[in-house]
């Protein structure tokens, strides 16, 4: 890692490269979409299967699950963070503690195990094309990938090959009232939110749970508002009574519920009337700062803090500068390295592979850099900007203050 070049110097990098880097390089398909029109192979005889597409889009750098061989830990966005957070990553104690304090966004990702009986294929295909926030306890979101509809449909069909016919739930007032009461008393609100109904309160879990599993459960519990759109109803009652019988690695505990109690809960989750969400508000754009803004400050608050992991220096990561530099997650490399002042000024590659500045104003008057940051705010409000991927990819938008800092630094002529 670039952080401590002296320590994780050439020798250990070489060791890691020999141990796993080569295996990864050899086993990883090109990140350019193999059936994309841009690659000129659109007419090729082989149409990639859903499984091949998942390797190509590198779903295995974040998710475990069916068809996914885990990416090696130095490529795996979650495994490496977990090793650092648990202290098993081999580095000096001081660095480890600092890193531990900085890793917030991706301590976990939901695995895709058991997905064939949990989620609906039509929902997966839609979600892959326009992901939205499902888990209030997890900072990271599913990133928007360069997937076309046909890719999403093929992946969804591979993940969920056959669905059980949907079942109906009772919706009478008495059943819903019972379901609601059980949600309140069985500890569900400790992990889950349910936006759109009267807020659930946290209540003690009726079963013992290890603190680490509870913390992970809180991060990974979906907002139950989305459940009715996404789950296979035929398995919902079984899920509530025994989650690991469907998803072996689930941290949702087995809470003793009768068939009738679980049915009442399922009925409430699926049928309770939902209040509409308030319309999304875009953060206001703050005025340019009058005080001087240096690169060091922008780096500290933005590039180094959030971006550098996907836009880093290749030499320090076995030839891989991250998805936003050398490519990955199905993106061809944009060559954008945000590690140092001169790297940032060196800019990125356009669609023809020509280098350009990220400060050049675009049609809308903003620079490539600012356009990407503002596009992320809009994406989270459900508005896609055609041809632009919002940055930071798969993470919450920068705050109005962070964007103000970047904008002020650009306006002041990008001082060092
Ligand atoms: C950079 C990491 C990352 C990559 C790469 C990634 N995902 Fe995700 N994915 C996430 C995160 C984080 C979530 C949870 C988001 C949330 O709950 O709001 C998620 C959620 C999902 C879900 C919903 C699962 C559930 O139980 O709710 C599915 C399905 C999914 N991803 C499929 C895929 C597929 C298929 C690919 C590859 C084409 C992929 N993901 C690539 C990070 C990633
Ligand atoms: C080899 C281990 C390793 C790998 C692989 C790795 N990270 Fe990190 N990540 C770290 C460390 C260490 C930090 C903290 C760096 C610091 O404090 O300077 C970090 C910090 C981050 C941060 C900023 C802090 C935060 O939590 O918001 C983000 C975002 C991030 N990583 C995303 C990713 C993504 C996306 C991938 C996969 C493309 C990835 N990381 C792969 C080790 C890793
Ligand atoms: C310790 C935290 C925790 C508790 C307590 C808990 N859950 Fe969960 N629940 C989860 C997690 C985590 C998931 C996501 C599945 C997974 O990835 O393991 C989940 C998934 C679900 C789902 C599927 C939602 C979806 O959209 O996919 C439902 C429904 C659900 N839980 C209901 C309940 C109910 C009802 C209770 C109380 C009886 C409860 N949960 C208690 C953690 C918890
Ligand atoms: C999870 C990985 C990831 C993170 C985190 C991330 N990026 Fe990116 N970034 C990418 C990828 C992948 C692309 C290529 C998108 C494409 O090809 O259109 C990209 C493209 C860009 C571009 C457009 C370059 C061009 O010429 O079109 C800019 C600007 C950018 N990123 C800035 C940032 C900034 C600033 C941050 C932090 C606030 C950030 N990125 C965080 C992955 C990431």
């Amino acid at each position: 890692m670039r952080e401590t070049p002296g320590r994780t110097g050439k020798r250990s990098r070489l060791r890691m490269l020999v141990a796993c880097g080569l295996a990864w390089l050899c086993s990883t398909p090109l990140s350019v979409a193999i059936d994309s029109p841009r690659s000129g192979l659109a007419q090729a005889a082989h149409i990639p299967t859903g499984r091949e597409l998942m390797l190509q889009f590198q779903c295995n750098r974040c998710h475990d699950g069916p068809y996914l061989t885990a990416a090696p830990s130095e490529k795996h966005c979650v495994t490496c963070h977990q090793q650092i957070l648990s202290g098993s990553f081999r580095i000096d104690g001081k660095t480890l503690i600092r890193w531990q304090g900085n890793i917030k966004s991706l301590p976990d990702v939901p695995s895709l195990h058991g997905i064939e009986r949990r989620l609906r294929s039509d929902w997966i295909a839609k979600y892959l094309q326009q992901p939205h926030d499902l888990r209030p306890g997890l900072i990271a979101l599913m990133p928007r990938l360069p997937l076309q509809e046909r890719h999403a449909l093929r992946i969804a069909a591979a993940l969920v090959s056959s669905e059980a016919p949907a079942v109906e739930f009772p919706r009478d007032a008495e059943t819903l009232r019972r379901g609601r009461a059980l949600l309140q008393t069985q500890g569900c609100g400790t992990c889950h939110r349910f936006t759109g109904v009267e807020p659930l309160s946290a209540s003690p879990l009726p079963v013992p749970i290890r603190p680490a599993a509870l913390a992970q459960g809180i991060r990974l519990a979906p907002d139950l508002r989305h459940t009715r759109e996404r789950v296979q109803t035929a398995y919902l009652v079984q899920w509530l009574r025994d989650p690991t019988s469907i998803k072996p690695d689930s941290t949702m505990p087995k809470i003793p519920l009768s068939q009738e109690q679980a049915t009442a809960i399922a009925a409430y989750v699926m049928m309770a009337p939902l209040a509409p969400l308030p319309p999304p508000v875009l953060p206001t754009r703050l005025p340019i700062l009058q005080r001087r803004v240096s690169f060091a400050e922008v780096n500290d608050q933005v590039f180094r803090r959030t971006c550098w992991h996907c836009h880093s220096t290749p030499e320090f990561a076995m030839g891989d500068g991250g998805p936003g530099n050398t490519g990955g997650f199905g993106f061809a490399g944009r060559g954008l390295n945000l590690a140092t002042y001169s790297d940032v000024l060196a800019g990125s590659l356009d669609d023809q592979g020509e280098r350009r500045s990220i400060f050049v104003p675009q049609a809308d008057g903003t620079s490539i850099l600012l356009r990407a940051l503002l596009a992320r705010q809009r994406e989270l409000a459900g508005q896609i900007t055609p041809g632009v991927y919002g940055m930071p990819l798969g993470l919450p938008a920068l705050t109005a203050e962070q964007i103000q800092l970047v904008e002020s630094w650009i306006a002041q002529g990008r001082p060092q």
Side-chain angles (χ1 to χ4, degrees), residues 306-307 310-311 323-324 331 334 336 348 356 369 389 391-393:
T306 306
C307 321
C310 293
H311 294 275
F331 291 98
R334 281 279 175 202
L336 177 58
S348 66
R356 57 174 175 189
L369 174 58
Y389 286 89
M391 292 294 143
L393 186 80

Side-chain angles (χ1 to χ4, degrees), residues 19-281:
C20 31
L22 288 175
W24 162 264
L25 288 175
C26 301
S27 66
T28 309
L30 292 175
S31 56
V32 178
I34 40 181
D35 67 343
S36 82
R38 246 221 270 167
S39 70
L41 294 177
Q43 285 84 32
H46 180 65
I47 296 176
T49 61
R51 187 182 179 149
E52 286 165 341
L53 287 167
M54 281 191 270
L55 278 175
Q56 186 188 311
F57 290 105
Q58 302 183 331
C59 314
N60 65 341
R61 289 179 81 172
C62 291
H63 295 287
D64 289 341
Y67 310 130
L68 294 169
T69 326
S73 70
E74 83 285 358
K75 295 283 177 185
H76 200 299
C77 307
V78 183
T79 304
C80 182
H81 290 177
Q82 284 172 346
Q83 288 175 348
I84 291 167
L85 291 169
S86 71
S88 66
F89 193 90
R90 285 179 50 194
I91 191 99
D92 68 285
K94 243 177 93 188
T95 310
L96 188 68
I97 289 170
R98 187 160 43 79
W99 284 356
Q100 286 174 336
N102 290 348
I103 293 178
K104 304 214 158 46
S105 318
L106 275 166
D108 291 296
V109 156
S111 86
L112 304 182
H113 289 301
I115 193 166
E116 66 284 356
R117 291 195 288 166
R118 285 190 298 124
L119 302 182
R120 297 208 313 260
S121 166
D122 61 344
W123 178 84
I124 296 173
K126 249 188 8 218
Y127 176 73
L128 292 177
Q129 293 171 80
Q130 192 163 349
H132 58 90
D133 197 5
L134 297 167
R135 292 176 170 74
L138 199 63
I139 296 176
L141 291 85
M142 166 73 197
R144 257 186 82 208
L145 301 177
L147 279 161
Q148 310 198 345
E149 190 184 11
R150 65 178 192 283
H151 299 136
L153 288 168
R154 252 179 271 153
I155 292 174
L159 286 171
V160 180
S161 49
S162 73
E163 262 169 59
V167 299
E168 301 262 315
F169 292 100
R171 57 192 317 170
D172 58 284
E174 176 51 24
T175 306
L176 297 190
R177 196 198 53 73
R178 247 179 88 61
R180 161 95 204 170
L182 286 160
L183 269 169
Q184 286 282 38
T185 53
Q186 300 302 306
C188 318
T190 300
C191 294
H192 289 281
R193 281 205 226 150
F194 195 165
T195 313
V197 303
E198 182 77 15
L200 298 178
S201 42
S203 56
L205 298 197
V207 289
I209 184 167
R210 286 180 299 112
L214 177 62
Q216 194 187 41
I218 291 172
R219 289 195 293 270
L220 290 180
D223 184 334
L224 298 176
R225 179 183 187 93
H226 308 292
T227 303
R228 58 187 69 190
E229 295 152 21
R230 58 188 225 125
V231 296
Q232 291 187 42
T233 47
Y235 295 105
L236 186 53
V237 168
Q238 183 187 338
W239 171 270
L240 294 172
R241 298 190 69 191
D242 190 2
T244 52
S245 72
I246 292 183
K247 183 178 183 186
D249 62 336
S250 181
T251 39
M252 170 154 157
K254 180 172 175 174
I255 294 170
L257 295 169
S258 68
Q259 181 77 11
E260 184 267 329
Q261 286 175 317
T263 305
I265 295 179
Y268 185 76
V269 169
M270 298 300 291
M271 299 294 175
L274 292 181
L277 293 175
V281 248

Side-chain angles (χ1 to χ4, degrees), residues 38 77 106 143 302-303 306-311 322-325 327-329 331-334 336 338 347-351 356-358 368-373 387-395 398 406:
R38 246 221 270 167
C77 307
L106 275 166
V302 179
F303 296 148
T306 306
C307 321
W308 166 83
H309 252 242
C310 293
H311 294 275
N325 185 357
F329 301 165
F331 291 98
R334 281 279 175 202
L336 177 58
L338 297 175
S348 66
L349 303 174
D350 65 15
D351 290 344
R356 57 174 175 189
S357 161
I358 54 170
I368 293 176
L369 174 58
L370 206 58
R371 189 180 64 173
L373 300 177
V388 179
Y389 286 89
M391 292 294 143
L393 186 80
L395 293 172
L398 297 187
V406 174

